[in-house]
Amino acid sequence: MSKPFSDHDKRKQISVRGLAGVENVAELKVAFNRHLHFTLVKDRNVANKRDYYFALANTVRDHLVGRWIRTQQYYYEKDPKLGLDMEELEDMEEDAGLGNGGLGRLAACFLDSMASLGLAAYGYGIRYEFGIFNQKIVNGWQVEEADDWLRYGNPWEKARPEYMRAVKFYGRTEHTPDGVKWVDTQVVLALPYDTPIPGYRNNIVNTMRLWSAKAPCDFNLKDFNVGGYIQAVLDRNLCENISRVLYPNDNFFEGKELRLKQEYFVVAATLQDVVRRFKASKFGSREVVRTDFAELPNKVAIQLNDTHPAMAIPELMRVLVDEEKLGWDKAWDVCVRTCAYTNHTVLPEALERWPIDLFHHLLPRHLEIIFEINHRFMEFPGDHDRMRRMSLIEEGGCKKVNMAHLCIVGSHAVNGVARIHSEILIATLYVFKDFYELDPHKFQNKTNGITPRRWLVMCNPGLAEVIAEKIGEEFIRDLDQLKRLLKFINDDAFIRDIAKVKQENKLKFAVHLEEHYKVKINPQSMFDFQVKRIHEYKRQLLNCLHMITYYNRIKKEPNKHWTPRTIMVGGKAAPGYHTAKMIIRLITAIGEVVNHDPVVGDRLKVIFLENYRVTLAEKAIPSADLSEQISTAGTEASGTGNMKFMLNGALTIGTMDGANVEMAEEAGEENLFIFGMRVEDVDAMDAGKGYHASEYYNRIPELKQAMDQIAGGFFSPKQPDLFKELVDLLMHHDRFKVFADYEAYIKCQDKVNQLYKNPKEWTKMVIHNIAGCGKFSSDRTIAQYAREIWGMEPSLEKIPAPDEKLK
Ligand SMILES: *Cc1c(COP(=O)(O)O)cnc(C)c1O
């Protein structure tokens, strides 16, 4: 199939790529050929697409290296010239799938913003050999495949064996007159791999450092004997398993020993790095080893992205008290002033609570330290019940360490990730209310954001160009400038341009789906997306009920004018999350019936998008007309998918949850399709008569019909009781109250259809949304973290490029 882009459009794309800055094509060509020859050891006769990708990647990397080194010192389509299709080469790049969903993606956006705002910042993590699994759909079911992303090598990383660190596990503690010793430990080495993080056109290149586990040379060879040698070398694998694979759960805690090992591994290696860098930092004019640890919080801020790195708190205490010989009180003061904690969820099943036995076995000294922290914390006056609620150690069958409590007590700042989420944190008893009452000044909000470089300029060059034609290019580093688009809200040419870019993106995505998945969709239909991890709280099931209802309506009145829709759902289910996998199966089952019904034709298609990940998001989101953000109010902490769609000119149908609330505030509530219960309504229902699914089922005929169809095997004729469990869940134990929002949701979807019939009014609403996006730049988020938590000042200044003179 041919590409929908004309030569004019290609030039347009290239000129926006120009925004991202390739200046000297001749030089580029020389460097490219040099890499193909000397690095890849290939010539044009034998080079394949992957070789060209690596040659290009290495060329770009060279461009970054000078700036990378300098920054660290300073802190201390067819391209006619190359004869290559750049888009095809871009597609060779593997996703670095080192996170599960929104949380990891947020960290990536933050790295981009920190470099673009000139902050001397490092991102730390684990270099998983296998990232989030690749999802295949086989006969309608999710099947997982290992993500062997490093198979062909990674051109962006640089191993730094000279900065290898030792991390200890197991053993026991000895309390001696000169302090506590942690002995008889097993050692695992942490080998750092550095990746450059370039800022936006400011010559700054920060570092992301990921740790890989490596067995020491003498691993298991202490009591060397001839028979043991081979086994000892084979057993090196066991300890190198620490960085083997990402746990694929999103918003769910799995208390496995290997996972606790991972969490401590990254923290222990990182803190050694931080302390080494502090000790080597300039001290007045003299260059000596620093020991004035009271200064640490003035030099370093550690931001804990959820409780996954919570072990940083007891580990920093261990380093300061046991190794650097600070007194407890001094060390604690340093620790609290250095650390800050971001909470990302209120779902109880997601909160990390580690069994004490496991802890004692793996990290005996840290458990002692946590007991000591708890003992001293529990000194405050208060009633017994409150003390029990706030303890870092939960009593009960098996004692557990509550990592969120540890983070709150060990940090000087605690924040939620959207206004409504931060309010819920301090207002709800089972979450952090008691801590708030004790220490209200600690609690803050930092509403999440996304980087406009990736999520607008890179993924949607056509839209970036149309915007730049009206307001220039400043919006790329100052997203609030998008407000200036409101001046053009009645400019017919502008409205047409915005609609045209959307149509082009839709066509392009339709071509992609046809080429890669052999599915044909109608590019004139409304592209309706729900793409995010599959989870009950995100309510993909509510979307399913709408698909079925719309289908039934078309069948009932086939000659009426129905707004054509392509409903696309994508996302991975955690491999152990049975209900989520059944939800995927239901969506594919609905698709099998709906997509083959000749009465419906192309007025409704239901597509499950396989293997949703960042590269697919970058293709899908620019093509979206409608963004589904339909979690039960009070359950989605912020969401960031919602922001990506808004910035790319989709309208939102959503509940008053997470950042949707602030999106409505920024764009005007009349410019979003808001429906359903508010948090107050949910709370009132729980406090009052409760949620009874059967009442809705009995009262609403279309809901009853849809449920009866699912239950009766209408979508699974070969296996009529396939969805029995899902039906039972929805009817009898639905924590997320799907039916309670069904009526409001369907009515709201009717309004969406009505507006879609009026393209001009639709596009004007889109423009209101784009213009209201400024707040959702991660630059704004990071500037607030910097000023309000880290005590740093962001800067848009350029530093000199390596070939320029330092002034
Ligand atoms: C942004 C993003 C997410 C988060 O989406 P939500 O709708 O906020 O849950 C998840 N996965 C990918 C690949 C993303 O790019």
Side-chain angles (χ1 to χ4, degrees), residues 528-590:
D528 168 346
F529 282 97
Q530 186 176 23
V531 283
K532 49 184 72 249
R533 289 298 293 258
I534 309 293
H535 207 296
E536 286 163 84
Y537 87 83
K538 293 177 184 279
R539 296 202 296 192
Q540 281 91 0
L541 286 171
L542 184 56
N543 195 345
C544 289
L545 290 174
H546 171 248
M547 299 169 193
I548 298 171
T549 303
Y550 202 53
Y551 171 75
N552 289 334
R553 286 184 181 182
I554 297 173
K555 292 285 277 186
K556 201 170 164 196
E557 296 182 82
N559 297 320
K560 223 177 116 171
H561 175 80
W562 298 100
T563 304
R565 274 203 200 216
T566 303
I567 305 180
M568 290 172 269
V569 180
K572 292 172 185 174
Y577 188 177
H578 180 250
T579 301
K581 289 183 146 176
M582 288 308 300
I583 292 171
I584 292 176
R585 186 66 192 94
L586 177 60
I587 296 164
T588 57
I590 295 169

Side-chain angles (χ1 to χ4, degrees), residues 95 99-103 105-106 109 250-251 448 450 454-455 530-533 537-538 571-572 611-618 621 627-629 636 638-645:
D95 287 55
N100 267 292
L103 185 76
R105 182 57 244 176
L106 180 75
C109 287
D250 187 67
N251 275 292
N448 280 166
I450 55 171
R454 178 171 299 271
W455 295 112
Q530 186 176 23
V531 283
K532 49 184 72 249
R533 289 298 293 258
Y537 87 83
K538 293 177 184 279
K572 292 172 185 174
N611 206 26
Y612 180 62
R613 61 200 188 284
V614 171
T615 45
L616 184 55
E618 290 169 349
I621 293 172
S627 157
E628 303 265 354
Q629 307 298 336
E636 187 76 271
S638 161
T640 49
N642 46 4
M643 302 167 187
K644 297 169 197 165
F645 281 100

Side-chain angles (χ1 to χ4, degrees), residues 167-172 182-188 222 362 364:
V167 176
K168 299 193 275 188
F169 291 99
Y170 303 109
R172 59 191 171 82
W182 181 17
V183 298
D184 296 341
T185 53
Q186 286 182 21
V187 171
V188 179
K222 302 254 165 62
L362 190 67

Side-chain angles (χ1 to χ4, degrees), residues 195 200 241 368 373 444 553 568 608 775:
T195 299
Y200 179 71
N241 278 342
E368 287 179 357
I373 294 171
Q444 304 193 17
R553 286 184 181 182
M568 290 172 269
F608 190 86
K775 178 172 184 183

